[in-house]
Amino acid sequence: MFINAIASYLPEQVVTNAYFQELNGLTDEWIVERTGIRERRKASSEENTHTMALEAAKKITESLPYDISEVDLIVGATYTPHDNIFTLGHALQHALNISEIPVVTISSACSSLLNAIEIVQGYFAMNKASKALVVVSEHNTAYNNEDDTKAGHLWGDGAAVLSISKEKAGAQNWEIKDLITGGAANVGKASEGVTLKPLHRGLIMPYGKDVFINACTYMPKVSKQVMEKNGLTVEDISFVIPHQANYRITKNVAGTLGVPDEKMISNIHYLGNTGCAGCAIAMDENKGKFEKGNKIIVTVFGGGYSYGAMLVEI
Amino acid sequence: MFINAIASYLPEQVVTNAYFQELNGLTDEWIVERTGIRERRKASSEENTHTMALEAAKKITESLPYDISEVDLIVGATYTPHDNIFTLGHALQHALNISEIPVVTISSACSSLLNAIEIVQGYFAMNKASKALVVVSEHNTAYNNEDDTKAGHLWGDGAAVLSISKEKAGAQNWEIKDLITGGAANVGKASEGVTLKPLHRGLIMPYGKDVFINACTYMPKVSKQVMEKNGLTVEDISFVIPHQANYRITKNVAGTLGVPDEKMISNIHYLGNTGCAGCAIAMDENKGKFEKGNKIIVTVFGGGYSYGAMLVEI
């Protein structure tokens, strides 16, 4: 299974830490020390989960190694939906005018990128699809409460699209060598650590410490699992792209894995937590840096305590 | 792939058409003529998408042919979420205390039941799971606008859980012989026919006629596809369970397929449209009626214009 194209979109508006200092007194120094975040992007009032995804899709259609009409599966992922019925996946199908293919949109919170790719892997295994689009898009600022001094400053908006084919196609062929996902909803504060109840209090993180501890436990654990399963050690890995939640988590994951900081890819500093889109945006941003033969671990962790790791060979 | 147990839950409160007559002048006769609906269930203020699903799950654990700890995959489906981060699937994992298994929650609107089962089929094909729970739950009344005279009277609440195993297990072994899903988001008013924008206008159906026409087109079309693919004619089919949206759609589907009304299974009259839970609730309600060897078509259609058909042999 190969990632044959990738594209991302970020809204123009930049919100710096100065905004939160004025709003609720959190200083730049305080935010950077605890999260690494200096600024994040915010969708305009004309934008939403769908429009951001469609902007990324426009870019990917330019680099697809086959005609868009050959796409035979779309999997969307978001926990900040614009529409739960005409979903993110449907919006992409609609905009790209692709007829009569399976379309579904998922959430396993910030870990959905890997769940979505695993669903594609399942369709490929059944021979029900061979050319899929995975679209990840988060409109965090639509659901976020900026006044929340615990987590209001963490979130940013963004989207990405990946084109994934069963066989090699075109020039960019990043092979997905392995992929493991799991859930630990029965652990710690999984049911309330970070939640988004659309009808109630929006996006909140009342138990950030518990989320932190479990993110720092499960990302290294599942990354090691995928390395061991493939006969690799940490020395074989060129880059690790962890879920882009908090730079302290990234540092902690690096420490546990024994990976030097320069191998850890991060966009948290200027994008904040872009949910399930974060790792995909980072993959797109860094594609010029990756070299043939590089082995990359993408590892995710989300509220509800889902997690996963994917081994990609460039 | 076998459905080895099924259970459902309906909230206690019954809302009759008299309620809507008082609220906005729609008479019982007018509603029944256009939809077949006489009453629907409404979750209490203590209930939500999660609690209803957990009630169904309590019942299914009594009839599971293996210990609940052997479950190795959970797929939730809802377009009326209680929480997008600690999702429906996570809530089930949490309540059942099952460790470290893939969990994901999906929406392809009212057609999600079959998309969820197809995702399970993919995990089985990859040998990444062999014993799955599919949970469908809709809290329509939480998002519905009762004052909407176009669609406010259509919706009801309910949930169901299906236990699906790769191999036969226990006494009830309904074999899923085939399953096709598709999406037609590029057709007609798919992008606006029926929508649920959590941040805006809730659950609305401004283009009911277009939804009706496409439901009546795609459900028979995909049902015929699945019959032809399996060398069956409509005479071989004992029962058809269509998406429970509107009894006029059910009658129309029956007419197009050439299936007598008595083979069409319906709970619309007393449950209204229970979204992606409707067909699963109907399967549970009618399990005493099904006889060994019966072939059943379950066919669905949802906003965003996803559709599907599943052939089940009892």
Side-chain angles (χ1 to χ4, degrees):
Chain A
M1 172 158 84
F2 299 86
I3 300 172
N4 59 57
I6 187 165
S8 61
Y9 171 78
L10 298 170
E12 279 182 23
Q13 193 188 341
V14 174
V15 179
T16 65
N17 287 346
Y19 175 82
F20 289 96
Q21 175 144 26
E22 189 156 330
L23 189 75
N24 48 31
L26 302 180
T27 65
D28 176 62
E29 194 189 357
W30 189 91
I31 295 177
V32 171
E33 190 191 321
R34 277 157 188 79
T35 68
I37 302 169
R38 295 187 184 281
E39 53 190 49
R40 65 289 285 152
R41 298 296 182 94
K42 183 176 181 175
S44 76
S45 60
E46 305 294 309
E47 292 184 307
N48 58 54
T49 317
H50 291 191
T51 64
M52 290 189 285
L54 298 185
E55 290 299 324
K58 270 186 209 164
K59 294 185 199 172
I60 209 172
T61 51
E62 293 162 16
S63 52
L64 270 194
Y66 32 73
D67 194 77
I68 193 76
S69 64
E70 292 181 41
V71 167
D72 51 14
L73 173 65
I74 295 175
V75 182
T78 183
Y79 58 81
T80 52
H82 176 58
D83 194 329
N84 291 336
I85 286 187
F86 177 66
T87 73
L88 176 60
H90 293 105
L92 204 67
Q93 186 192 18
H94 180 79
L96 300 175
N97 193 27
I98 310 170
S99 295
E100 309 213 350
I101 61 166
V103 174
V104 69
T105 299
I106 68 156
S107 173
S108 53
C110 290
S111 69
S112 312
L113 171 69
L114 297 197
N115 293 80
I117 296 176
E118 195 167 52
I119 288 169
V120 168
Q121 194 180 28
Y123 274 86
F124 288 178
M126 295 188 286
N127 287 315
K128 284 190 170 187
S130 64
K131 293 165 182 165
L133 292 178
V134 166
V135 54
V136 283
S137 184
E138 298 292 9
H139 192 185
N140 280 309
T141 63
Y143 287 92
N144 182 25
N145 173 10
E146 291 182 339
D147 296 321
D148 172 13
T149 53
K150 282 192 176 174
H153 51 287
L154 299 179
W155 310 100
D157 300 331
V161 180
L162 296 86
S163 168
I164 302 180
S165 51
K166 190 170 179 176
E167 308 299 338
K168 280 191 182 184
Q172 180 196 314
N173 279 292
W174 299 352
E175 186 172 4
I176 298 173
K177 306 283 279 187
D178 206 355
L179 173 60
I180 299 173
T181 71
N186 55 337
V187 165
K189 298 272 186 197
S191 64
E192 49 186 343
V194 46
T195 65
L196 196 170
K197 296 185 173 72
L199 293 168
H200 300 288
R201 298 162 302 165
L203 176 55
I204 56 166
M205 200 190 298
Y207 297 98
K209 194 173 171 189
D210 195 71
V211 177
F212 185 97
I213 291 167
N214 283 289
C216 294
T217 302
Y218 281 99
M219 284 196 281
K221 185 177 167 183
V222 68
S223 297
K224 282 182 189 168
Q225 258 181 294
V226 89
M227 284 190 272
E228 279 166 22
K229 207 175 140 212
N230 290 275
L232 301 174
T233 68
V234 77
E235 283 73 33
D236 300 312
I237 304 303
S238 305
F239 298 103
V240 174
I241 309 180
H243 169 47
Q244 303 291 310
N246 180 321
Y247 196 62
R248 289 207 301 177
I249 294 177
T250 296
K251 294 267 283 181
N252 193 302
V253 168
T256 306
L257 286 175
V259 171
D261 283 1
E262 61 271 21
K263 285 191 176 181
M264 301 300 289
I265 287 181
S266 176
N267 58 29
I268 304 165
H269 306 82
Y270 51 94
L271 296 184
N273 185 341
T274 50
C276 79
C279 284
I281 294 168
M283 289 168 84
D284 183 39
E285 287 176 325
N286 290 278
K287 58 187 171 191
K289 198 185 214 172
F290 302 152
E291 291 174 12
K292 191 78 192 156
N294 278 178
K295 291 181 181 69
I296 297 171
I297 295 281
V298 179
T299 182
V300 293
F301 181 80
Y305 298 179
S306 282
Y307 57 84
M310 173 169 75
L311 173 66
V312 180
E313 186 173 319
I314 301 300
Chain B
M1 170 158 88
F2 300 86
I3 301 172
N4 62 55
I6 187 165
S8 61
Y9 171 78
L10 298 169
E12 278 183 19
Q13 193 188 340
V14 174
V15 179
T16 66
N17 287 347
Y19 175 82
F20 290 97
Q21 175 143 27
E22 189 155 329
L23 189 74
N24 49 31
L26 303 179
T27 65
D28 176 63
E29 194 187 356
W30 188 91
I31 294 176
V32 171
E33 191 191 318
R34 276 156 189 78
T35 68
I37 303 167
R38 296 187 183 281
E39 55 189 46
R40 67 290 287 152
R41 297 298 182 94
K42 184 177 182 175
S44 76
S45 61
E46 304 294 310
E47 291 184 307
N48 59 53
T49 316
H50 291 190
T51 64
M52 289 189 286
L54 298 185
E55 289 299 323
K58 269 186 210 163
K59 292 184 199 173
I60 208 172
T61 51
E62 294 161 15
S63 51
L64 271 194
Y66 33 74
D67 193 75
I68 194 74
S69 65
E70 292 181 41
V71 167
D72 51 15
L73 172 67
I74 295 175
V75 182
T78 184
Y79 58 82
T80 52
H82 176 58
D83 193 329
N84 291 336
I85 287 186
F86 178 67
T87 73
L88 176 59
H90 294 104
L92 205 66
Q93 188 193 15
H94 180 80
L96 300 175
N97 193 26
I98 309 170
S99 294
E100 309 216 349
I101 60 166
V103 173
V104 68
T105 298
I106 69 158
S107 174
S108 53
C110 289
S111 70
S112 314
L113 172 68
L114 297 198
N115 293 79
I117 296 176
E118 196 166 50
I119 287 168
V120 169
Q121 193 179 28
Y123 273 85
F124 288 179
M126 297 188 284
N127 288 315
K128 284 189 171 187
S130 63
K131 291 165 184 168
L133 292 178
V134 167
V135 54
V136 284
S137 183
E138 299 291 10
H139 191 185
N140 280 308
T141 63
Y143 287 92
N144 183 25
N145 172 11
E146 291 183 338
D147 296 321
D148 172 13
T149 53
K150 282 189 175 174
H153 51 287
L154 299 179
W155 310 101
D157 301 331
V161 180
L162 296 85
S163 168
I164 302 180
S165 50
K166 191 171 179 177
E167 309 298 338
K168 280 191 183 186
Q172 180 196 313
N173 279 292
W174 300 353
E175 186 172 3
I176 298 174
K177 305 284 280 186
D178 206 354
L179 173 60
I180 300 173
T181 70
N186 57 337
V187 165
K189 298 275 187 196
S191 65
E192 48 186 344
V194 47
T195 65
L196 194 170
K197 296 186 174 70
L199 292 168
H200 300 287
R201 297 163 304 165
L203 176 55
I204 57 167
M205 200 190 299
Y207 296 100
K209 194 175 172 187
D210 195 71
V211 177
F212 185 97
I213 290 167
N214 283 289
C216 293
T217 301
Y218 280 99
M219 282 195 282
K221 186 178 167 182
V222 68
S223 297
K224 281 180 189 169
Q225 257 180 297
V226 88
M227 283 190 273
E228 279 165 22
K229 207 175 140 213
N230 289 275
L232 300 174
T233 68
V234 77
E235 283 72 35
D236 299 312
I237 304 303
S238 305
F239 298 103
V240 175
I241 310 180
H243 168 46
Q244 305 290 311
N246 178 323
Y247 196 62
R248 288 207 301 179
I249 294 177
T250 297
K251 295 268 283 182
N252 193 303
V253 168
T256 306
L257 286 175
V259 171
D261 284 358
E262 62 270 21
K263 285 190 177 182
M264 302 299 289
I265 286 181
S266 177
N267 58 30
I268 304 165
H269 305 84
Y270 52 93
L271 296 185
N273 185 341
T274 49
C276 79
C279 283
I281 294 168
M283 288 167 84
D284 183 40
E285 288 176 326
N286 289 278
K287 60 187 170 191
K289 199 185 210 171
F290 302 152
E291 289 174 13
K292 193 78 193 155
N294 279 178
K295 291 182 182 68
I296 297 172
I297 295 281
V298 179
T299 182
V300 293
F301 181 81
Y305 295 1
S306 282
Y307 56 84
M310 173 170 76
L311 173 65
V312 180
E313 187 173 319
I314 300 300

